[in-house]
Amino acid sequence: MSAGRSGPERRALPCGPGRDGWDDDVPAHSEGHPHPAGDRLARSGGPAPSGTLLVIAKAPVPGRVKTRLTPAYSPAEAACLAEAALLDTLDVVLATPVRRRVLVLDGRPGDWLPSGIEVVPQCAGGLDARLAHAFGLCDGPTLLIGMDTPQVTAELLTSGLELGPTDASFGPADDGGFWALGLAEPDPALLRGVPMSVPRTGAVQRRRLTGAGLTVRDMPLLRDVDTADDARLVAAEAPHTRFAATFAALAGTGAR
């Protein structure tokens, strides 16, 4: 507590007192380290994993992330939920056998970043341009997801990368957007110009894929965490996640 601060004392936030999501000792671009799962595959003599997983995310900095969770949660509490969702997502990415795991980040990585994740900065521009740029960093089968679906599983990600030469995978979100997009051959042009963050985003993006002659394999519908009600429902759906534990801990602080 700061000296002279009045009012009732609040409990420490579940993501750690004083955590701001930033760490100047961690470079903005990091190659990461091999993940133990990949090491085990190599030692076993099994086939090397293929494919790339992209996670597009914001650094969990109060006031810059999950702003639609306020006023039900303070900016610091919203950042705690964002950090938990991002860590759950990265855990699943690390548990999925792929050749490359890339966090495409708006902001700087902090001490929350696990090893085994390559970090690259997002480019400037709208979300369509940033997603297109992310795909442009890759070759071969690539699946892009966000940080808003902590209920995702390694099985879902693996299925999203099972692509034939002219296939795409598409994970619709319940708000009309999409939570996953997979391409057998990344083509940034398939995303540029798609209107983002509107109820028709998913429909427009899916039509863009079919219009390019791709066979679209639909993945399950998932709920993005955007609002306090979303947070409650996703925490109930995935009770063993960090996100659910953080949600429960914040309920104990009086957050609604």
Side-chain angles (χ1 to χ4, degrees):
M1 296 271 304
S2 300
R5 184 174 179 180
S6 60
E9 182 175 354
R10 302 196 68 168
R11 302 181 194 179
L13 293 176
C15 56
R19 174 75 61 83
D20 65 3
W22 296 74
D23 186 345
D24 289 336
D25 293 332
V26 181
H29 182 283
S30 171
E31 294 297 337
H33 303 284
H35 188 255
D39 289 345
R40 285 194 296 270
L41 280 171
R43 289 195 300 268
S44 70
S50 62
T52 298
L53 284 173
L54 294 170
V55 180
I56 190 148
K58 288 184 178 181
V61 177
R64 294 191 58 197
V65 66
K66 289 295 162 207
T67 54
R68 289 176 61 190
L69 290 177
T70 60
Y73 295 91
S74 72
E77 291 165 342
C80 281
L81 286 167
E83 181 178 313
L86 178 54
L87 286 174
D88 283 329
T89 302
L90 295 178
D91 278 350
V92 170
V93 166
L94 287 168
T96 306
V98 290
R99 177 175 58 88
R100 190 178 177 205
R101 303 171 179 90
V102 184
L103 175 62
V104 187
L105 188 65
D106 177 1
R108 293 186 63 84
D111 58 4
W112 44 264
L113 179 69
S115 64
I117 301 290
E118 178 185 351
V119 182
V120 299
Q122 291 184 26
C123 72
L127 182 55
D128 64 315
R130 288 179 277 141
L131 297 182
H133 175 259
F135 273 106
L137 301 172
C138 306
D139 58 83
T142 300
L143 181 70
L144 179 142
I145 62 172
M147 62 182 287
D148 300 334
T149 50
Q151 70 273 44
V152 74
T153 65
E155 290 75 20
L156 280 175
L157 299 188
T158 298
S159 70
L161 280 167
E162 293 172 346
L163 298 168
T166 60
D167 285 351
S169 53
F170 183 79
D174 76 319
D175 61 1
F178 58 92
W179 65 269
L181 178 61
L183 297 173
E185 292 296 335
D187 181 358
L190 291 172
L191 292 105
R192 294 192 187 105
V194 173
M196 296 289 168
S197 303
V198 295
R200 62 192 180 98
T201 294
V204 174
Q205 182 63 75
R206 196 180 188 286
R207 283 199 300 272
R208 183 72 69 87
L209 301 174
T210 57
L214 300 178
T215 300
V216 177
R217 299 174 58 252
D218 289 310
M219 300 174 70
L221 179 79
L222 293 185
R223 177 182 293 271
D224 282 339
V225 175
D226 290 320
T227 67
D229 192 48
D230 293 332
R232 176 181 60 82
L233 292 169
V234 170
E237 179 183 347
H240 302 299
T241 58
R242 282 190 183 90
F243 183 82
T246 302
F247 177 85
L250 288 175
T253 70
R256 297 291 185 269

PDB file of all heavy atoms in Angstrom, residues 12-46:
ATOM      1  N   ALA A  12      -4.237  -8.690  -2.296  1.00  0.00           N
ATOM      2  CA  ALA A  12      -3.292  -8.712  -3.410  1.00  0.00           C
ATOM      3  C   ALA A  12      -3.952  -9.346  -4.622  1.00  0.00           C
ATOM      4  O   ALA A  12      -4.721 -10.300  -4.506  1.00  0.00           O
ATOM      5  CB  ALA A  12      -2.040  -9.492  -3.027  1.00  0.00           C
ATOM      6  N   LEU A  13      -3.660  -8.811  -5.785  1.00  0.00           N
ATOM      7  CA  LEU A  13      -4.223  -9.368  -7.011  1.00  0.00           C
ATOM      8  C   LEU A  13      -3.612 -10.739  -7.277  1.00  0.00           C
ATOM      9  O   LEU A  13      -2.435 -10.968  -7.000  1.00  0.00           O
ATOM     10  CB  LEU A  13      -3.952  -8.430  -8.182  1.00  0.00           C
ATOM     11  CG  LEU A  13      -4.686  -7.090  -8.120  1.00  0.00           C
ATOM     12  CD1 LEU A  13      -4.255  -6.223  -9.285  1.00  0.00           C
ATOM     13  CD2 LEU A  13      -6.185  -7.277  -8.140  1.00  0.00           C
ATOM     14  N   PRO A  14      -4.389 -11.660  -7.863  1.00  0.00           N
ATOM     15  CA  PRO A  14      -3.903 -13.028  -8.043  1.00  0.00           C
ATOM     16  C   PRO A  14      -2.768 -13.160  -9.044  1.00  0.00           C
ATOM     17  O   PRO A  14      -2.110 -14.197  -9.092  1.00  0.00           O
ATOM     18  CB  PRO A  14      -5.158 -13.786  -8.513  1.00  0.00           C
ATOM     19  CG  PRO A  14      -6.062 -12.740  -9.053  1.00  0.00           C
ATOM     20  CD  PRO A  14      -5.800 -11.512  -8.239  1.00  0.00           C
ATOM     21  N   CYS A  15      -2.528 -12.136  -9.870  1.00  0.00           N
ATOM     22  CA  CYS A  15      -1.399 -12.227 -10.794  1.00  0.00           C
ATOM     23  C   CYS A  15      -0.136 -11.657 -10.176  1.00  0.00           C
ATOM     24  O   CYS A  15       0.880 -11.546 -10.843  1.00  0.00           O
ATOM     25  CB  CYS A  15      -1.707 -11.521 -12.114  1.00  0.00           C
ATOM     26  SG  CYS A  15      -2.194  -9.805 -11.929  1.00  0.00           S
ATOM     27  N   GLY A  16      -0.182 -11.291  -8.906  1.00  0.00           N
ATOM     28  CA  GLY A  16       1.029 -10.872  -8.214  1.00  0.00           C
ATOM     29  C   GLY A  16       1.041  -9.393  -7.927  1.00  0.00           C
ATOM     30  O   GLY A  16       0.785  -8.578  -8.808  1.00  0.00           O
ATOM     31  N   PRO A  17       1.312  -8.984  -6.677  1.00  0.00           N
ATOM     32  CA  PRO A  17       1.347  -7.566  -6.349  1.00  0.00           C
ATOM     33  C   PRO A  17       2.453  -6.853  -7.103  1.00  0.00           C
ATOM     34  O   PRO A  17       3.567  -7.346  -7.235  1.00  0.00           O
ATOM     35  CB  PRO A  17       1.626  -7.565  -4.833  1.00  0.00           C
ATOM     36  CG  PRO A  17       2.280  -8.876  -4.578  1.00  0.00           C
ATOM     37  CD  PRO A  17       1.676  -9.832  -5.549  1.00  0.00           C
ATOM     38  N   GLY A  18       2.108  -5.702  -7.674  1.00  0.00           N
ATOM     39  CA  GLY A  18       3.103  -4.906  -8.369  1.00  0.00           C
ATOM     40  C   GLY A  18       3.373  -5.342  -9.785  1.00  0.00           C
ATOM     41  O   GLY A  18       4.143  -4.716 -10.493  1.00  0.00           O
ATOM     42  N   ARG A  19       2.740  -6.435 -10.258  1.00  0.00           N
ATOM     43  CA  ARG A  19       2.979  -6.912 -11.615  1.00  0.00           C
ATOM     44  C   ARG A  19       2.362  -5.945 -12.602  1.00  0.00           C
ATOM     45  O   ARG A  19       1.195  -5.585 -12.477  1.00  0.00           O
ATOM     46  CB  ARG A  19       2.345  -8.300 -11.787  1.00  0.00           C
ATOM     47  CG  ARG A  19       2.402  -8.861 -13.184  1.00  0.00           C
ATOM     48  CD  ARG A  19       3.797  -9.360 -13.538  1.00  0.00           C
ATOM     49  NE  ARG A  19       4.188 -10.418 -12.640  1.00  0.00           N
ATOM     50  CZ  ARG A  19       3.830 -11.683 -12.801  1.00  0.00           C
ATOM     51  NH1 ARG A  19       3.071 -12.046 -13.806  1.00  0.00           N
ATOM     52  NH2 ARG A  19       4.237 -12.598 -11.944  1.00  0.00           N
ATOM     53  N   ASP A  20       3.146  -5.500 -13.576  1.00  0.00           N
ATOM     54  CA  ASP A  20       2.588  -4.600 -14.585  1.00  0.00           C
ATOM     55  C   ASP A  20       2.641  -5.187 -15.978  1.00  0.00           C
ATOM     56  O   ASP A  20       2.261  -4.545 -16.942  1.00  0.00           O
ATOM     57  CB  ASP A  20       3.292  -3.236 -14.565  1.00  0.00           C
ATOM     58  CG  ASP A  20       4.762  -3.310 -14.956  1.00  0.00           C
ATOM     59  OD1 ASP A  20       5.228  -4.411 -15.297  1.00  0.00           O
ATOM     60  OD2 ASP A  20       5.430  -2.265 -14.916  1.00  0.00           O
ATOM     61  N   GLY A  21       3.126  -6.427 -16.115  1.00  0.00           N
ATOM     62  CA  GLY A  21       3.137  -7.075 -17.424  1.00  0.00           C
ATOM     63  C   GLY A  21       4.313  -6.697 -18.296  1.00  0.00           C
ATOM     64  O   GLY A  21       4.426  -7.163 -19.413  1.00  0.00           O
ATOM     65  N   TRP A  22       5.224  -5.848 -17.799  1.00  0.00           N
ATOM     66  CA  TRP A  22       6.353  -5.396 -18.586  1.00  0.00           C
ATOM     67  C   TRP A  22       7.639  -5.799 -17.914  1.00  0.00           C
ATOM     68  O   TRP A  22       7.739  -5.834 -16.697  1.00  0.00           O
ATOM     69  CB  TRP A  22       6.334  -3.871 -18.734  1.00  0.00           C
ATOM     70  CG  TRP A  22       5.159  -3.373 -19.476  1.00  0.00           C
ATOM     71  CD1 TRP A  22       3.875  -3.294 -19.017  1.00  0.00           C
ATOM     72  CD2 TRP A  22       5.127  -2.882 -20.805  1.00  0.00           C
ATOM     73  NE1 TRP A  22       3.047  -2.797 -19.971  1.00  0.00           N
ATOM     74  CE2 TRP A  22       3.793  -2.520 -21.081  1.00  0.00           C
ATOM     75  CE3 TRP A  22       6.090  -2.708 -21.781  1.00  0.00           C
ATOM     76  CZ2 TRP A  22       3.404  -2.002 -22.309  1.00  0.00           C
ATOM     77  CZ3 TRP A  22       5.709  -2.172 -22.989  1.00  0.00           C
ATOM     78  CH2 TRP A  22       4.382  -1.836 -23.251  1.00  0.00           C
ATOM     79  N   ASP A  23       8.645  -6.073 -18.706  1.00  0.00           N
ATOM     80  CA  ASP A  23       9.951  -6.437 -18.164  1.00  0.00           C
ATOM     81  C   ASP A  23      10.999  -6.010 -19.171  1.00  0.00           C
ATOM     82  O   ASP A  23      11.147  -6.616 -20.226  1.00  0.00           O
ATOM     83  CB  ASP A  23      10.031  -7.953 -17.921  1.00  0.00           C
ATOM     84  CG  ASP A  23      11.305  -8.366 -17.231  1.00  0.00           C
ATOM     85  OD1 ASP A  23      12.257  -7.558 -17.187  1.00  0.00           O
ATOM     86  OD2 ASP A  23      11.359  -9.510 -16.743  1.00  0.00           O
ATOM     87  N   ASP A  24      11.727  -4.941 -18.864  1.00  0.00           N
ATOM     88  CA  ASP A  24      12.705  -4.413 -19.811  1.00  0.00           C
ATOM     89  C   ASP A  24      13.874  -5.348 -20.019  1.00  0.00           C
ATOM     90  O   ASP A  24      14.671  -5.151 -20.935  1.00  0.00           O
ATOM     91  CB  ASP A  24      13.236  -3.055 -19.325  1.00  0.00           C
ATOM     92  CG  ASP A  24      12.166  -1.975 -19.438  1.00  0.00           C
ATOM     93  OD1 ASP A  24      11.260  -2.146 -20.267  1.00  0.00           O
ATOM     94  OD2 ASP A  24      12.235  -0.987 -18.684  1.00  0.00           O
ATOM     95  N   ASP A  25      14.031  -6.385 -19.180  1.00  0.00           N
ATOM     96  CA  ASP A  25      15.133  -7.315 -19.352  1.00  0.00           C
ATOM     97  C   ASP A  25      14.835  -8.365 -20.405  1.00  0.00           C
ATOM     98  O   ASP A  25      15.694  -9.137 -20.786  1.00  0.00           O
ATOM     99  CB  ASP A  25      15.458  -8.019 -18.023  1.00  0.00           C
ATOM    100  CG  ASP A  25      16.010  -7.048 -17.003  1.00  0.00           C
ATOM    101  OD1 ASP A  25      16.625  -6.051 -17.426  1.00  0.00           O
ATOM    102  OD2 ASP A  25      15.815  -7.280 -15.798  1.00  0.00           O
ATOM    103  N   VAL A  26      13.576  -8.429 -20.864  1.00  0.00           N
ATOM    104  CA  VAL A  26      13.192  -9.404 -21.883  1.00  0.00           C
ATOM    105  C   VAL A  26      13.106  -8.681 -23.215  1.00  0.00           C
ATOM    106  O   VAL A  26      12.403  -7.687 -23.338  1.00  0.00           O
ATOM    107  CB  VAL A  26      11.830 -10.054 -21.555  1.00  0.00           C
ATOM    108  CG1 VAL A  26      11.460 -11.079 -22.611  1.00  0.00           C
ATOM    109  CG2 VAL A  26      11.877 -10.699 -20.181  1.00  0.00           C
ATOM    110  N   PRO A  27      13.838  -9.104 -24.233  1.00  0.00           N
ATOM    111  CA  PRO A  27      13.832  -8.383 -25.508  1.00  0.00           C
ATOM    112  C   PRO A  27      12.478  -8.449 -26.190  1.00  0.00           C
ATOM    113  O   PRO A  27      11.697  -9.376 -25.977  1.00  0.00           O
ATOM    114  CB  PRO A  27      14.898  -9.101 -26.330  1.00  0.00           C
ATOM    115  CG  PRO A  27      14.982 -10.468 -25.742  1.00  0.00           C
ATOM    116  CD  PRO A  27      14.704 -10.298 -24.269  1.00  0.00           C
ATOM    117  N   ALA A  28      12.207  -7.443 -27.020  1.00  0.00           N
ATOM    118  CA  ALA A  28      10.930  -7.407 -27.737  1.00  0.00           C
ATOM    119  C   ALA A  28      10.835  -8.544 -28.745  1.00  0.00           C
ATOM    120  O   ALA A  28       9.762  -8.945 -29.138  1.00  0.00           O
ATOM    121  CB  ALA A  28      10.773  -6.062 -28.447  1.00  0.00           C
ATOM    122  N   HIS A  29      11.966  -9.057 -29.225  1.00  0.00           N
ATOM    123  CA  HIS A  29      11.964 -10.216 -30.117  1.00  0.00           C
ATOM    124  C   HIS A  29      12.825 -11.290 -29.490  1.00  0.00           C
ATOM    125  O   HIS A  29      13.981 -11.070 -29.175  1.00  0.00           O
ATOM    126  CB  HIS A  29      12.525  -9.838 -31.496  1.00  0.00           C
ATOM    127  CG  HIS A  29      12.498 -10.984 -32.462  1.00  0.00           C
ATOM    128  ND1 HIS A  29      13.405 -12.014 -32.428  1.00  0.00           N
ATOM    129  CD2 HIS A  29      11.660 -11.264 -33.491  1.00  0.00           C
ATOM    130  CE1 HIS A  29      13.144 -12.873 -33.396  1.00  0.00           C
ATOM    131  NE2 HIS A  29      12.090 -12.445 -34.041  1.00  0.00           N
ATOM    132  N   SER A  30      12.243 -12.437 -29.266  1.00  0.00           N
ATOM    133  CA  SER A  30      12.964 -13.523 -28.605  1.00  0.00           C
ATOM    134  C   SER A  30      12.753 -14.793 -29.391  1.00  0.00           C
ATOM    135  O   SER A  30      11.630 -15.101 -29.789  1.00  0.00           O
ATOM    136  CB  SER A  30      12.443 -13.711 -27.172  1.00  0.00           C
ATOM    137  OG  SER A  30      12.981 -14.870 -26.592  1.00  0.00           O
ATOM    138  N   GLU A  31      13.817 -15.519 -29.608  1.00  0.00           N
ATOM    139  CA  GLU A  31      13.699 -16.783 -30.334  1.00  0.00           C
ATOM    140  C   GLU A  31      13.175 -17.902 -29.456  1.00  0.00           C
ATOM    141  O   GLU A  31      12.742 -18.923 -29.937  1.00  0.00           O
ATOM    142  CB  GLU A  31      15.072 -17.187 -30.905  1.00  0.00           C
ATOM    143  CG  GLU A  31      15.579 -16.243 -31.975  1.00  0.00           C
ATOM    144  CD  GLU A  31      14.682 -16.209 -33.203  1.00  0.00           C
ATOM    145  OE1 GLU A  31      13.953 -17.173 -33.430  1.00  0.00           O
ATOM    146  OE2 GLU A  31      14.721 -15.216 -33.936  1.00  0.00           O
ATOM    147  N   GLY A  32      13.219 -17.725 -28.141  1.00  0.00           N
ATOM    148  CA  GLY A  32      12.745 -18.757 -27.242  1.00  0.00           C
ATOM    149  C   GLY A  32      13.705 -19.927 -27.168  1.00  0.00           C
ATOM    150  O   GLY A  32      14.821 -19.880 -27.676  1.00  0.00           O
ATOM    151  N   HIS A  33      13.276 -20.999 -26.538  1.00  0.00           N
ATOM    152  CA  HIS A  33      14.091 -22.191 -26.373  1.00  0.00           C
ATOM    153  C   HIS A  33      13.271 -23.405 -26.766  1.00  0.00           C
ATOM    154  O   HIS A  33      12.046 -23.384 -26.704  1.00  0.00           O
ATOM    155  CB  HIS A  33      14.548 -22.333 -24.907  1.00  0.00           C
ATOM    156  CG  HIS A  33      15.299 -21.140 -24.432  1.00  0.00           C
ATOM    157  ND1 HIS A  33      16.593 -20.886 -24.783  1.00  0.00           N
ATOM    158  CD2 HIS A  33      14.909 -20.106 -23.638  1.00  0.00           C
ATOM    159  CE1 HIS A  33      17.000 -19.762 -24.219  1.00  0.00           C
ATOM    160  NE2 HIS A  33      16.003 -19.262 -23.529  1.00  0.00           N
ATOM    161  N   PRO A  34      13.910 -24.497 -27.169  1.00  0.00           N
ATOM    162  CA  PRO A  34      13.142 -25.703 -27.506  1.00  0.00           C
ATOM    163  C   PRO A  34      12.273 -26.132 -26.328  1.00  0.00           C
ATOM    164  O   PRO A  34      12.674 -25.994 -25.173  1.00  0.00           O
ATOM    165  CB  PRO A  34      14.237 -26.737 -27.807  1.00  0.00           C
ATOM    166  CG  PRO A  34      15.446 -25.931 -28.170  1.00  0.00           C
ATOM    167  CD  PRO A  34      15.357 -24.683 -27.345  1.00  0.00           C
ATOM    168  N   HIS A  35      11.094 -26.615 -26.647  1.00  0.00           N
ATOM    169  CA  HIS A  35      10.202 -27.081 -25.592  1.00  0.00           C
ATOM    170  C   HIS A  35      10.474 -28.554 -25.324  1.00  0.00           C
ATOM    171  O   HIS A  35      10.781 -29.314 -26.242  1.00  0.00           O
ATOM    172  CB  HIS A  35       8.745 -26.872 -26.023  1.00  0.00           C
ATOM    173  CG  HIS A  35       7.769 -27.142 -24.929  1.00  0.00           C
ATOM    174  ND1 HIS A  35       7.001 -28.268 -24.891  1.00  0.00           N
ATOM    175  CD2 HIS A  35       7.467 -26.447 -23.812  1.00  0.00           C
ATOM    176  CE1 HIS A  35       6.244 -28.242 -23.815  1.00  0.00           C
ATOM    177  NE2 HIS A  35       6.502 -27.153 -23.144  1.00  0.00           N
ATOM    178  N   PRO A  36      10.340 -28.983 -24.067  1.00  0.00           N
ATOM    179  CA  PRO A  36      10.644 -30.384 -23.750  1.00  0.00           C
ATOM    180  C   PRO A  36       9.879 -31.390 -24.593  1.00  0.00           C
ATOM    181  O   PRO A  36      10.391 -32.449 -24.918  1.00  0.00           O
ATOM    182  CB  PRO A  36      10.265 -30.490 -22.272  1.00  0.00           C
ATOM    183  CG  PRO A  36      10.462 -29.111 -21.740  1.00  0.00           C
ATOM    184  CD  PRO A  36      10.087 -28.186 -22.862  1.00  0.00           C
ATOM    185  N   ALA A  37       8.647 -31.069 -24.976  1.00  0.00           N
ATOM    186  CA  ALA A  37       7.884 -32.016 -25.795  1.00  0.00           C
ATOM    187  C   ALA A  37       8.580 -32.259 -27.127  1.00  0.00           C
ATOM    188  O   ALA A  37       8.662 -33.383 -27.615  1.00  0.00           O
ATOM    189  CB  ALA A  37       6.468 -31.482 -26.033  1.00  0.00           C
ATOM    190  N   GLY A  38       9.109 -31.182 -27.741  1.00  0.00           N
ATOM    191  CA  GLY A  38       9.837 -31.345 -28.988  1.00  0.00           C
ATOM    192  C   GLY A  38      11.127 -32.117 -28.792  1.00  0.00           C
ATOM    193  O   GLY A  38      11.524 -32.926 -29.629  1.00  0.00           O
ATOM    194  N   ASP A  39      11.819 -31.866 -27.668  1.00  0.00           N
ATOM    195  CA  ASP A  39      13.044 -32.606 -27.379  1.00  0.00           C
ATOM    196  C   ASP A  39      12.759 -34.095 -27.257  1.00  0.00           C
ATOM    197  O   ASP A  39      13.516 -34.926 -27.757  1.00  0.00           O
ATOM    198  CB  ASP A  39      13.662 -32.104 -26.066  1.00  0.00           C
ATOM    199  CG  ASP A  39      14.250 -30.697 -26.220  1.00  0.00           C
ATOM    200  OD1 ASP A  39      14.415 -30.262 -27.374  1.00  0.00           O
ATOM    201  OD2 ASP A  39      14.517 -30.069 -25.191  1.00  0.00           O
ATOM    202  N   ARG A  40      11.660 -34.441 -26.611  1.00  0.00           N
ATOM    203  CA  ARG A  40      11.331 -35.858 -26.429  1.00  0.00           C
ATOM    204  C   ARG A  40      11.054 -36.515 -27.775  1.00  0.00           C
ATOM    205  O   ARG A  40      11.460 -37.655 -28.021  1.00  0.00           O
ATOM    206  CB  ARG A  40      10.123 -36.011 -25.508  1.00  0.00           C
ATOM    207  CG  ARG A  40      10.451 -35.759 -24.031  1.00  0.00           C
ATOM    208  CD  ARG A  40       9.327 -36.259 -23.143  1.00  0.00           C
ATOM    209  NE  ARG A  40       8.097 -35.538 -23.369  1.00  0.00           N
ATOM    210  CZ  ARG A  40       7.752 -34.424 -22.714  1.00  0.00           C
ATOM    211  NH1 ARG A  40       8.578 -33.895 -21.835  1.00  0.00           N
ATOM    212  NH2 ARG A  40       6.604 -33.829 -22.957  1.00  0.00           N
ATOM    213  N   LEU A  41      10.348 -35.806 -28.683  1.00  0.00           N
ATOM    214  CA  LEU A  41      10.082 -36.365 -30.008  1.00  0.00           C
ATOM    215  C   LEU A  41      11.380 -36.611 -30.764  1.00  0.00           C
ATOM    216  O   LEU A  41      11.556 -37.638 -31.406  1.00  0.00           O
ATOM    217  CB  LEU A  41       9.194 -35.398 -30.804  1.00  0.00           C
ATOM    218  CG  LEU A  41       7.704 -35.438 -30.484  1.00  0.00           C
ATOM    219  CD1 LEU A  41       6.997 -34.283 -31.171  1.00  0.00           C
ATOM    220  CD2 LEU A  41       7.095 -36.763 -30.918  1.00  0.00           C
ATOM    221  N   ALA A  42      12.297 -35.642 -30.661  1.00  0.00           N
ATOM    222  CA  ALA A  42      13.565 -35.801 -31.367  1.00  0.00           C
ATOM    223  C   ALA A  42      14.348 -36.984 -30.816  1.00  0.00           C
ATOM    224  O   ALA A  42      14.924 -37.778 -31.571  1.00  0.00           O
ATOM    225  CB  ALA A  42      14.380 -34.506 -31.250  1.00  0.00           C
ATOM    226  N   ARG A  43      14.396 -37.128 -29.496  1.00  0.00           N
ATOM    227  CA  ARG A  43      15.160 -38.223 -28.901  1.00  0.00           C
ATOM    228  C   ARG A  43      14.537 -39.569 -29.192  1.00  0.00           C
ATOM    229  O   ARG A  43      15.222 -40.581 -29.263  1.00  0.00           O
ATOM    230  CB  ARG A  43      15.263 -38.011 -27.382  1.00  0.00           C
ATOM    231  CG  ARG A  43      16.182 -36.862 -26.978  1.00  0.00           C
ATOM    232  CD  ARG A  43      16.518 -36.963 -25.507  1.00  0.00           C
ATOM    233  NE  ARG A  43      15.343 -36.907 -24.669  1.00  0.00           N
ATOM    234  CZ  ARG A  43      14.850 -35.779 -24.148  1.00  0.00           C
ATOM    235  NH1 ARG A  43      15.416 -34.608 -24.431  1.00  0.00           N
ATOM    236  NH2 ARG A  43      13.791 -35.800 -23.379  1.00  0.00           N
ATOM    237  N   SER A  44      13.198 -39.590 -29.364  1.00  0.00           N
ATOM    238  CA  SER A  44      12.525 -40.865 -29.594  1.00  0.00           C
ATOM    239  C   SER A  44      12.706 -41.367 -31.019  1.00  0.00           C
ATOM    240  O   SER A  44      12.359 -42.491 -31.329  1.00  0.00           O
ATOM    241  CB  SER A  44      11.027 -40.717 -29.294  1.00  0.00           C
ATOM    242  OG  SER A  44      10.410 -39.916 -30.281  1.00  0.00           O
ATOM    243  N   GLY A  45      13.224 -40.498 -31.904  1.00  0.00           N
ATOM    244  CA  GLY A  45      13.391 -40.884 -33.295  1.00  0.00           C
ATOM    245  C   GLY A  45      12.114 -40.789 -34.093  1.00  0.00           C
ATOM    246  O   GLY A  45      12.064 -41.214 -35.240  1.00  0.00           O
ATOM    247  N   GLY A  46      11.047 -40.223 -33.492  1.00  0.00           N
ATOM    248  CA  GLY A  46       9.797 -40.063 -34.204  1.00  0.00           C
ATOM    249  C   GLY A  46       9.890 -38.931 -35.209  1.00  0.00           C
ATOM    250  O   GLY A  46      10.882 -38.201 -35.276  1.00  0.00           O
TER     251      GLY A  46
END
